[in-house]
Amino acid sequence: MSNNFVWTVVEDKSGNLWFGTNGGGVSKYDGKCFTHFTEKEGLTNNNVRSILEDKSGNLWFGTSGGGVSKYDGNCVDDIINETNLYQNNHQDRKNNKKSLVKIFTHFTEKEGLSNNDVLSILEDKSGNLWFGTFGGGVSKYNGNNFTHFTNKEGLSNNVVLSILEDRYGDLWFGTNGGGVSKYTEKSITHFTVEEGLSNNVVLSILEDKSGNLWFGTYGSGVSKYDGKCFAHFTENEGLSNKVVWSIVEDKSGNLWFGTFGGGVSKYDGNVFSHFTDKEGLSNNDVLSMLEDKSGNLWFGTNGGGVSKYDGKIFTHFTDKDGLSNNLVWSMVEDKSGNLWFGTDGGGVTKYNGNCVDDIINETNLYQHNQQDLKKNKKALVK
């Protein structure tokens, strides 16, 4: 790994895993080895907060201070002529007298991006890319040029923490102080506390199977919007805590709310069920959540490692069990069913259902059997 602080993890269409780090750029893992992409290799900034693969297979990396880097994988950069020499076959490579390498294209304020701090990225159904920034509102990129949406153009706030496209193709922007802005091709509509939203700081957005929108806020629980009016869920209505970092809908239609201080709240459409350290959760600060292919729920916490919930009991994975670090920012399940946990200072931990692999500073501790585990002084965990 290029850096042990991992903000985000994404698996691309080819099964490669990409890790966005805090200071170490991006690390790509192809199942056998790592390839690092930092400023030296052409990345615009080494602090990568968000990653997206578009429909064409390009990778987009949102950075803190360097705008966005696009990784297309088809061309070589001729620095002398400042041109991109596309090399799609052996003859192209021979003519250019260069080897086929993968490069970056940068999009910063100079190229038309509204702000160089990019917190979130979304590709809409039409193939447009939307970049939520810290101070510059939202930038839309259609493949040729940028269009900006700030408070001057009608956006409620210029710090955009979350983006969602609903089933109708409308865009929703969760902001830091301006509530939510809904964007259609014709207009921007605001939803703040004045319009019925419970709080103007929106950390997370989810559209459920019925088309309802759920907004997790910082300080006022969750607001549900059915297209006409809002319903609020706070501690008074049964939510365990009023700070909601993440929202997941499971295969059965239950909603899970990861809170900061109140563990997890499950909502079945009628009542809430709480899962805190009293009920078996490892830690009450839940930063990330995931439902795996088998229907298990995984909760990444702030100091308690990872908790797995199978519908009946919790199983904990901490540094004592082989997890590299107990603060888990992000998680993803790959196509093979392996789980990857991005941590704060411990790099990435891979869990394959039988053993734990720590990947820290390019050190892979592969543990395929009892002898390997004995050598690495780790325990086999399920």
Side-chain angles (χ1 to χ4, degrees):
M1 282 291 297
S2 59
N3 186 279
N4 287 335
F5 190 121
V6 180
W7 282 116
T8 182
V9 187
V10 168
E11 183 182 21
D12 67 24
K13 297 172 184 177
S14 301
N16 302 303
L17 289 162
W18 297 80
F19 306 98
T21 74
N22 183 29
V26 180
S27 289
K28 172 189 172 184
Y29 182 65
D30 64 3
K32 295 181 180 180
C33 61
F34 281 91
T35 304
H36 306 309
F37 300 94
T38 66
E39 294 174 10
K40 293 181 181 179
E41 287 74 36
L43 190 69
T44 183
N45 186 281
N46 285 336
N47 191 335
V48 179
R49 294 295 301 268
S50 51
I51 305 175
L52 177 137
E53 182 183 19
D54 66 25
K55 297 174 183 177
S56 300
N58 302 304
L59 274 295
W60 297 78
F61 305 106
T63 74
S64 294
V68 181
S69 287
K70 173 188 173 185
Y71 179 71
D72 61 20
N74 286 316
C75 60
V76 63
D77 190 33
D78 189 337
I79 299 176
I80 298 176
N81 296 322
E82 295 183 0
T83 59
N84 292 332
L85 303 178
Y86 289 90
Q87 304 178 328
N88 296 317
N89 53 50
H90 179 73
Q91 187 60 41
D92 288 339
R93 294 193 293 274
K94 185 177 180 180
N95 291 342
N96 292 324
K97 296 180 181 180
K98 291 180 181 265
S99 58
L100 181 64
V101 295
K102 299 184 177 182
I103 70 144
F104 292 93
T105 303
H106 305 314
F107 299 91
T108 66
E109 294 174 10
K110 293 180 180 180
E111 288 75 34
L113 190 69
S114 61
N115 187 280
N116 286 336
D117 289 333
V118 178
L119 302 176
S120 51
I121 311 174
L122 178 140
E123 183 180 21
D124 66 26
K125 297 174 183 177
S126 300
N128 300 302
L129 290 165
W130 298 79
F131 304 102
T133 73
F134 189 86
V138 181
S139 286
K140 173 187 174 183
Y141 182 65
N142 65 4
N144 295 305
N145 50 58
F146 285 94
T147 304
H148 304 314
F149 299 91
T150 67
N151 50 18
K152 294 180 181 179
E153 287 76 32
L155 194 69
S156 59
N157 186 278
N158 286 336
V159 177
V160 179
L161 303 175
S162 50
I163 309 176
L164 177 138
E165 183 180 21
D166 65 25
R167 61 187 60 192
Y168 303 108
D170 297 327
L171 277 296
W172 297 78
F173 306 109
T175 73
N176 184 30
V180 180
S181 288
K182 174 186 176 182
Y183 171 79
T184 68
E185 287 295 334
K186 297 181 180 180
S187 63
I188 297 178
T189 307
H190 305 313
F191 298 92
T192 66
V193 291
E194 294 181 0
E195 286 76 32
L197 190 68
S198 60
N199 189 286
N200 285 337
V201 179
V202 178
L203 302 173
S204 51
I205 310 175
L206 178 136
E207 182 181 20
D208 66 25
K209 297 174 183 177
S210 300
N212 300 303
L213 290 167
W214 297 79
F215 304 102
T217 73
Y218 188 84
S220 300
V222 180
S223 288
K224 171 189 173 184
Y225 183 66
D226 63 3
K228 296 181 179 180
C229 59
F230 284 94
H232 305 310
F233 299 91
T234 65
E235 292 166 324
N236 293 332
E237 286 75 33
L239 192 68
S240 60
N241 187 277
K242 57 188 178 182
V243 178
V244 179
W245 282 106
S246 53
I247 310 174
V248 167
E249 182 178 21
D250 66 25
K251 297 174 183 177
S252 300
N254 300 303
L255 291 167
W256 297 78
F257 304 102
T259 75
F260 200 80
V264 181
S265 288
K266 171 188 173 184
Y267 182 65
D268 64 2
N270 295 301
V271 297
F272 282 93
S273 301
H274 304 312
F275 300 92
T276 66
D277 51 9
K278 294 180 180 179
E279 287 75 33
L281 190 68
S282 60
N283 186 283
N284 287 336
D285 296 337
V286 178
L287 303 175
S288 53
M289 297 191 294
L290 177 146
E291 182 184 22
D292 66 24
K293 297 174 183 177
S294 301
N296 301 302
L297 274 296
W298 296 79
F299 308 103
T301 72
N302 180 28
V306 180
S307 288
K308 171 189 172 184
Y309 182 66
D310 64 3
K312 295 181 180 180
I313 60 172
F314 282 94
T315 305
H316 305 312
F317 301 91
T318 66
D319 52 7
K320 295 180 181 179
D321 308 294
L323 191 67
S324 59
N325 186 282
N326 286 334
L327 197 159
V328 179
W329 283 110
S330 55
M331 56 178 73
V332 69
E333 181 180 20
D334 65 26
K335 295 177 182 178
S336 301
N338 302 303
L339 291 167
W340 297 78
F341 306 108
T343 73
D344 184 350
V348 179
T349 298
K350 172 188 173 185
Y351 176 69
N352 67 5
N354 294 306
C355 62
V356 173
D357 287 349
D358 291 338
I359 303 173
I360 309 173
N361 289 336
E362 303 182 46
T363 301
N364 298 333
L365 303 178
Y366 289 97
Q367 303 173 328
H368 295 297
N369 52 49
Q370 200 68 29
Q371 186 61 34
D372 289 339
L373 294 166
K374 184 177 181 181
K375 290 178 181 178
N376 291 326
K377 296 180 180 180
K378 295 199 179 246
L380 183 66
V381 293
K382 296 286 187 179

